[in-house]
Amino acid sequence: TDLILGDHVLYEYDDHNNKNAVILERNVPINAHPPRHRSDLSVVEFLDAVFGLTDENVASYVQQQQEEEEDDNGVSHHTRLPVNIKLDMKELQVVQPAMELLLEKYPHMLNTVPSANTTDTDSDSEAQDENENDKADDNNPTSNLQYIYLNADVMPGPGHRFDPPTIDGDAFLSTCTDVLRANPRPNAELVREVSFFSLGWHVSYLSAGFSTDNAYTNADVQNMVDLIRRYNLDGNGGTADADDNSGGIVLAVNARLLYNDCTPFDAFLDSIPTAQLLVWTGTGELPIPQDRIDSIQAHFQSQGTLDRIGFDCKIATTQLGAIWYGGRVAIKQVYFHSIDWMGHHVLVQVLFMCLCLILCLILQQQQHCKNVNWGRNTICRISKRVGSFFLLWFRSRV
């Protein structure tokens, strides 16, 4: 879920079915994706809901697990609630309050069902040894945990090389690790052990087309490795304390960009044996052809690391779908690279703006266009709309 700081609201509908927002809280962590800064779901409500924190929900789940997991000796083994979470931080301001809430809620995430040993006290020594092992498992605080994935785009990548990342990497990691280490709550260390950092690049999948900047590079991966080791997230030492600052590392990579070149991640996976990749297609991104996913899988299969690659992708499974979506992506890529090219050529940009200004002035002088029937004069209607578009574009550039 995406997290930002914003207004927690309650939506109400009037008699005419118009939606009105009643602000409950301001400037609190909420579940929303920019540019929205309002949501009817706060992070507190989200954590309560996803972990089923009400006594009734927990009691029902415990009873169900006891019924399903009693062994032959009548001993019930604890299990964890089957929900892991991924918190996608969209701005730096939300990181610390979200982490504090996570620490506050995390004790409720543990669902340890005590062993109910119904065997006779005079049972043989073998049965006693098995029961002791069961008790040892029940006392293990990490045996029934829900895992937390802390996600952020912390570095510029293909398509956004000269733009700042969503969140600065050093600021993000220092805030998270400081909260986990400095917090006096007794469960802070436990949260650190089950928290995986899911780190990515600020990218545009449209750059995967007609561009030299169409894939992740060795420099991209090395910069990420340096960041990981600065905060001792790989277990190989660093400037932090001797023990790890997280449960592990996951790099989030775009499927289309990865397809163009998978090799920069081979050395990364070799150097950090516990690291994983999550291959994704983004919100609003068109499905990727199945053969490209197959190509990615074949590459990592040849490297012996396919079991450490996860996929969260929308896939065009048919040949017709692949052609259809591929054509639409190609058109978007041409537009993307045209705008990008113009943005890096000042002379062309100035000439284009001058042409737009001339067109706007001409259209503004065509007073007769205001007095005609727009439904019959197609040329005048189209000219008017094109002129309005160029005028708005020119004003935004100036």
Side-chain angles (χ1 to χ4, degrees):
T1 182
D2 298 335
L3 304 188
I4 62 171
L5 280 185
D7 296 335
H8 179 208
V9 301
L10 174 65
Y11 291 113
E12 297 180 341
Y13 292 87
D14 59 22
D15 295 338
H16 301 287
N17 206 33
N18 296 319
K19 186 168 69 173
N20 301 311
V22 178
I23 297 178
L24 303 177
E25 299 174 283
R26 291 187 180 274
N27 204 37
V28 296
I30 60 174
N31 295 55
H33 190 286
R36 292 183 57 199
H37 277 79
R38 283 186 173 184
S39 175
D40 58 354
L41 180 63
S42 68
V43 173
V44 172
E45 292 175 331
F46 168 76
L47 293 177
D48 287 347
V50 78
F51 297 141
L53 299 186
T54 65
D55 293 338
E56 181 180 354
N57 289 344
V58 172
S60 174
Y61 180 81
V62 169
Q63 181 180 1
Q64 177 185 356
Q65 294 300 319
Q66 285 177 327
E67 293 174 353
E68 292 179 355
E69 301 204 6
E70 284 189 355
D71 61 18
D72 295 336
N73 295 322
V75 178
S76 294
H77 300 279
H78 64 29
T79 57
R80 63 179 177 83
L81 292 172
V83 177
N84 301 323
I85 61 171
K86 178 181 177 182
L87 303 179
D88 192 352
M89 312 292 185
K90 292 302 183 183
E91 56 187 22
L92 181 61
Q93 293 81 357
V94 78
V95 177
Q96 182 165 347
M99 294 296 297
E100 296 286 354
L101 288 173
L102 195 59
L103 286 170
E104 177 184 341
K105 298 294 182 181
Y106 194 78
H108 302 284
M109 296 163 62
L110 305 179
N111 179 24
T112 300
V113 180
S115 295
N117 188 357
T118 59
T119 58
D120 188 2
T121 55
D122 294 329
S123 59
D124 57 26
S125 59
E126 182 178 354
Q128 291 178 356
D129 291 340
E130 291 178 356
N131 293 336
E132 290 298 324
N133 292 334
D134 292 333
K135 292 178 181 178
D137 289 340
D138 286 336
N139 292 328
N140 179 7
T142 61
S143 60
N144 64 333
L145 299 181
Q146 294 165 285
Y147 295 102
I148 307 160
Y149 294 87
L150 304 173
N151 183 78
D153 294 335
V154 296
M155 288 190 174
H160 288 289
R161 294 288 181 194
F162 304 102
D163 299 327
T166 305
I167 298 180
D168 178 75
D170 285 296
F172 173 67
L173 292 180
S174 63
T175 301
C176 290
T177 55
D178 287 349
V179 169
L180 292 175
R181 289 194 169 277
N183 196 286
R185 295 180 185 273
N187 65 320
E189 181 178 355
L190 189 59
V191 174
R192 188 175 74 248
E193 292 177 1
V194 298
S195 296
F196 290 74
F197 283 96
S198 175
L199 307 177
W201 291 262
H202 183 204
V203 302
S204 171
Y205 77 93
L206 296 176
S207 68
F210 314 101
S211 173
T212 56
D213 184 27
N214 63 355
Y216 297 99
T217 65
N218 291 326
D220 290 332
V221 177
Q222 186 57 52
N223 290 336
M224 188 68 79
V225 170
D226 293 341
L227 178 67
I228 290 169
R229 288 180 173 165
R230 276 204 298 276
Y231 293 90
N232 196 21
L233 304 180
D234 64 340
N236 293 329
T239 58
D241 294 345
D243 53 335
D244 292 347
N245 276 326
S246 75
I249 285 293
V250 178
L251 293 191
V253 293
N254 179 265
R256 283 185 166 86
L257 296 169
L258 181 64
Y259 166 77
N260 287 337
D261 190 2
C262 298
T263 55
F265 294 95
D266 294 339
F268 167 78
L269 294 172
D270 290 338
S271 63
I272 306 179
T274 58
Q276 304 174 52
L277 296 185
L278 175 63
V279 185
W280 55 267
T281 54
T283 302
E285 181 176 348
L286 296 174
I288 185 172
Q290 179 66 54
D291 61 348
R292 298 196 175 191
I293 298 297
D294 294 340
S295 176
I296 294 172
Q297 292 176 332
H299 172 84
F300 290 108
Q301 180 70 50
S302 68
Q303 300 296 315
T305 54
L306 182 59
D307 59 329
R308 295 159 61 190
I309 313 299
F311 292 86
D312 182 15
C313 301
K314 293 177 289 185
I315 301 176
T317 56
T318 65
Q319 188 66 28
L320 181 60
I323 295 173
W324 168 248
Y325 290 120
R328 291 176 61 185
V329 169
I331 293 173
K332 288 187 174 185
Q333 288 171 338
V334 169
Y335 174 78
F336 174 82
H337 292 300
S338 299
I339 298 299
D340 184 65
W341 179 78
M342 288 181 56
H344 289 87
H345 293 76
V346 178
L347 179 59
V348 175
Q349 192 172 0
V350 170
L351 291 175
F352 187 69
M353 285 192 296
C354 290
L355 176 61
C356 292
L357 179 60
I358 293 172
L359 287 174
C360 292
L361 293 175
I362 292 174
L363 289 172
Q364 286 180 343
Q365 295 300 319
Q366 301 298 318
Q367 296 297 327
H368 68 276
C369 287
K370 298 180 180 180
N371 302 319
V372 299
N373 188 326
W374 294 106
R376 297 178 181 177
N377 197 326
T378 304
I379 296 177
C380 196
R381 183 176 72 251
I382 294 175
S383 300
K384 179 86 171 174
R385 292 183 177 179
V386 171
S388 300
F389 169 78
F390 281 127
L391 181 60
L392 290 174
W393 184 89
F394 176 74
R395 287 175 177 172
S396 68
R397 302 297 297 181
V398 174

